[in-house]
Amino acid sequence: MHSLTEKALAGSPRALARLITQVENDTPLARQALTDLHSHTGKAQIVGITGAPGSGKSTMVNELAKEFRRRDKTVAIVAVDPSSPFSGGAVLGDRIRMQDLVSDKGIFVRSMASRGNLGGLAIATANVSSVLDAVGYDVILIETVGAGQSEVDIASTAHTTLVIEAPGMGDDVQSIKAGILEIGDILVVNKADRPESRRTIKALQAMLELGHSTKTLHHGQVIETAAVVDYNEWMVPVLPVTSLTGDGISELVSHIETHFSWLKESGNFELHQRLQFEKQIRQLLQAAVWERLNGSRFEELLQQVSERQLSPHAAIEALLKLL
Amino acid sequence: MHSLTEKALAGSPRALARLITQVENDTPLARQALTDLHSHTGKAQIVGITGAPGSGKSTMVNELAKEFRRRDKTVAIVAVDPSSPFSGGAVLGDRIRMQDLVSDKGIFVRSMASRGNLGGLAIATANVSSVLDAVGYDVILIETVGAGQSEVDIASTAHTTLVIEAPGMGDDVQSIKAGILEIGDILVVNKADRPESRRTIKALQAMLELGHSTKTLHHGQVIETAAVVDYNEWMVPVLPVTSLTGDGISELVSHIETHFSWLKESGNFELHQRLQFEKQIRQLLQAAVWERLNGSRFEELLQQVSERQLSPHAAIEALLKLL
């Protein structure tokens, strides 16, 4: 085991930060570390937090972290920004408000960026979560900034996904359009002290009732596999929270913990984990097969296909013989 | 060669429709037909037409088809609706207006739907385009209904992509957000008889000037490969059109034809084709490798990874030995 991996396992935040940078860059050291750390994983609860800009995600994530700490759980916060080219420490503006958290040894904060490769970001986020799980954090909060397909991909890593809405952010149809509502295990209406929040809560409850029958299908698509997790038994709650005052945070954390218990008891935790590994192995295998073939007759075959001397299917036959 | 493929090649619209259904369902007959037809492909211009609902895409596609017919070109229209579960003939409501087109032997109309598999839809659309190319249609118009990632994927099949905007459809920022503007080779402002259209045209021109330097990168991402097509030489025009009266349609068709000439002369047609084949071979190879492994020790290895007896990377090593 590399000394960096050893030190991270022993609890050094500095070694952990450096190891995560290696993982983000997909270095040989990182691949070896992920292999070495694999047997240490499988204990943490990974919680994804997603929602439109302006919904107050960052403040809520901070409050969630504090509440988990009060319950004697260690917490890692990963803020993922697909639109930013900068990765590293707690560089996001919102993190400046976290002075009270940063001094706590039981909390680790990290931001991640896309560097122009959204597909890679979802894989990197999953790998970073594995490292944080292995070194012993009880709860991993993955906060995604921005919206869209990247968030859906990143959310598929999480065991429990929170979708944050805030009242008065335009029409509620936006969330459904982006396909974000379907991925929520818990829906949270933030800024619940505002009078308009009742309307947002009612709208979300109505949508949940409408969408209930199609939920499993959506989850099946998110996970991208033929197997479909049975989420029907989990009734998605809509919870009012006011992050600024802390109202509702304790109830939200209790629901997050209940969802984890439900995942474990229903067998869905095992299933989720299996699907994640299957997806990961498929991706790694694809990359490995490609690495093997790129040095070979591939270019020549591609040229023949382009010139219509060979069909794509015939090219595949030839390539499979090379493996 | 299967008799269905032979009849489609000989010009039977009925055989063609049945063959396309086979291609949509990815049957063994379809795979064989695509192999047999491969040497007949490479002549058609594939034009993608995309834009928000309400921009008047369908009417414009009909007018484009008529103008290409006036120029003695045969036309196939493929209307792709990622949100609909129904495929088949000209079933879309908009097609009811096409009575004058349907009686023309030089026009073939087809709708396609997702059946819940968006990734598969892009592949199916590419394969259907190949069949239409092989049987001799000069121009293939692919109209995508709806918006989002699926349109970007489908557009990557096209040689020339039109992005349709209409004045007064809310803020212009919408299009950029959806990443759709970046894929346009020609931007069209439909309903140009409305007074607000001047503002839309100016807004699009301003965006093009701003975004010019990043265009190549976006195209690189759309095509999903390391190689980047040099699109910098093509200056994206913004064209006003009024589909209902036909104003501007002739100029638009001339620009589409000019873009095709530019693609051929600049070498970008060859490059685009090569990238498409490379992508297709990657996808087919991935599926073939997966088919080979699924009957083998895969499940056993996945179980060992889930139980932390084996790391994902060690599982890949074992799987590669099996190939």
Side-chain angles (χ1 to χ4, degrees), chain A residues 18 20 39 41-42 45 60 84 98 127-128 180 214 217 230 232 237 282 294 305-306 310 312:
Chain A
R18 286 176 57 207
I20 287 175
S39 62
T41 62
Q45 177 176 16
M60 183 177 297
S84 163
M98 291 187 62
N127 286 338
V128 167
I180 280 191
T214 58
L217 178 67
D230 181 17
N232 280 336
R282 274 176 190 261
N294 261 355
V305 170
S306 293
L310 198 71

Side-chain angles (χ1 to χ4, degrees), chain A residues 38 274 282 290 299 303, chain B residues 274 282 290 299 303 305:
Chain A
H38 182 66
R274 229 185 132 85
R282 274 176 190 261
W290 209 243
E299 281 299 319
Q303 188 63 33
Chain B
R274 228 183 132 85
R282 276 176 189 260
W290 208 243
E299 281 298 320
Q303 187 64 33
V305 170

Side-chain angles (χ1 to χ4, degrees), chain A residues 35 38 41-42 116 221 273-274 281-282 285-286 290 292-293 299 303 305-306 308 310-313 316, chain B residues 35 38 41-42 116 221 273-274 281-282 285-286 290 293 299 303 305-306 308 310-313 316 320:
Chain A
T35 297
H38 182 66
T41 62
Q221 286 186 346
Q273 190 170 263
R274 229 185 132 85
I281 290 172
R282 274 176 190 261
L285 188 67
Q286 192 188 342
W290 209 243
R292 276 200 180 190
L293 289 177
E299 281 299 319
Q303 188 63 33
V305 170
S306 293
R308 266 79 183 175
L310 198 71
S311 78
H313 279 278
I316 298 299
Chain B
T35 297
H38 182 66
T41 62
Q221 287 186 344
Q273 192 171 260
R274 228 183 132 85
I281 290 173
R282 276 176 189 260
L285 187 67
Q286 191 189 343
W290 208 243
L293 288 177
E299 281 298 320
Q303 187 64 33
V305 170
S306 294
R308 267 79 185 175
L310 198 72
S311 79
H313 279 279
I316 299 299
L320 284 174

